[in-house]
Amino acid sequence: MDFLTAILLLVLLSYMFVLIILTYWLSGESPIFYKSLRSGKHNLPFWMLKFRTLATDEKKSLQGRRFALGDFLRYTNLDEIPQLVNIVKGEMSFVGPRPLPIEYLLLMSSEHLQRHRVKPGITGWAQVNGRHLIPWQKKFELDLYYVDHVSFYLDTRILFKTI
């Protein structure tokens, strides 16, 4: 279901892809995509794709690296559209724990690693129950709740709460 829905959305949103890419090109901002090595199901690494929302000059502060198009994409979550490619490739799902950078694996307890029993998702139980407003430990608890209670009903509930 993830694969077919992602293909359909890629086709339907192809105009948005092209529009965003043209806007990057016209604004002179490059590169267009941000790739980040993340840990997926069974701790397998994969390159998660997003539209880049920060300038690449790492000498500047985080605030100094912001630019208008990036702010807009982040605010509207349109920066996540390229993750549909990750879903088509089978690396991600629409719903699951958000994929964390691969470096975090070394910092996780065996309990926290249980979040990798399922594919990571674009949205998840932790995202619809607080997102950035909850502490890390609570996010892990919500991720583990999801892993232990995966169901079509819970996925549907998360998708509707995301919208």
Side-chain angles (χ1 to χ4, degrees), residues 2-162:
D2 276 342
F3 176 80
L4 293 176
T5 305
I7 292 286
L8 178 66
L9 284 173
L10 279 170
V11 170
L12 292 174
L13 296 174
S14 60
Y15 78 92
M16 186 72 71
F17 241 94
V18 171
L19 184 63
I20 292 170
I21 289 170
L22 282 173
T23 306
Y24 268 102
W25 187 68
L26 291 172
S27 71
E29 289 290 342
S30 66
I32 295 169
F33 295 101
Y34 168 75
K35 291 184 348 180
S36 177
L37 192 59
R38 302 294 174 116
S39 55
K41 186 175 181 179
H42 305 303
N43 303 326
L44 295 174
F46 72 98
W47 289 100
M48 186 183 76
L49 301 172
K50 293 178 85 167
F51 284 118
R52 190 176 50 77
T53 60
L54 293 173
T56 56
D57 185 1
E58 293 184 11
K59 294 176 187 168
K60 293 182 180 179
S61 69
L62 194 59
Q63 188 66 24
R65 294 174 59 196
R66 294 175 63 180
F67 59 97
L69 176 60
D71 287 346
F72 172 76
L73 293 174
R74 189 178 306 116
Y75 177 76
T76 59
N77 287 324
L78 292 173
D79 61 326
E80 310 277 349
I81 292 174
Q83 290 173 35
L84 293 171
V85 173
N86 291 113
I87 293 174
V88 169
K89 291 170 63 178
E91 299 164 330
M92 289 181 69
S93 180
F94 281 101
V95 179
R98 284 295 292 164
L100 296 173
I102 199 82
E103 306 85 49
Y104 287 35
L105 285 176
L106 299 173
L107 306 173
M108 291 186 199
S109 69
S110 58
E111 181 186 22
H112 291 154
L113 289 171
Q114 296 302 308
R115 70 192 303 279
H116 296 115
R117 293 188 336 228
V118 298
K119 286 181 186 177
I122 292 177
T123 187
W125 193 232
Q127 283 64 45
V128 299
N129 284 293
R131 197 174 178 180
H132 302 300
L133 302 175
I134 56 177
W136 276 99
Q137 186 57 36
K138 182 68 175 170
K139 285 182 187 181
F140 279 114
E141 289 170 15
L142 292 168
D143 286 343
L144 294 178
Y145 175 87
Y146 174 79
V147 169
D148 291 336
H149 297 89
V150 168
S151 68
F152 182 76
Y153 170 75
L154 183 56
D155 282 4
T156 304
R157 190 170 160 202
I158 291 169
L159 287 170
F160 277 110
K161 285 184 86 170
T162 298

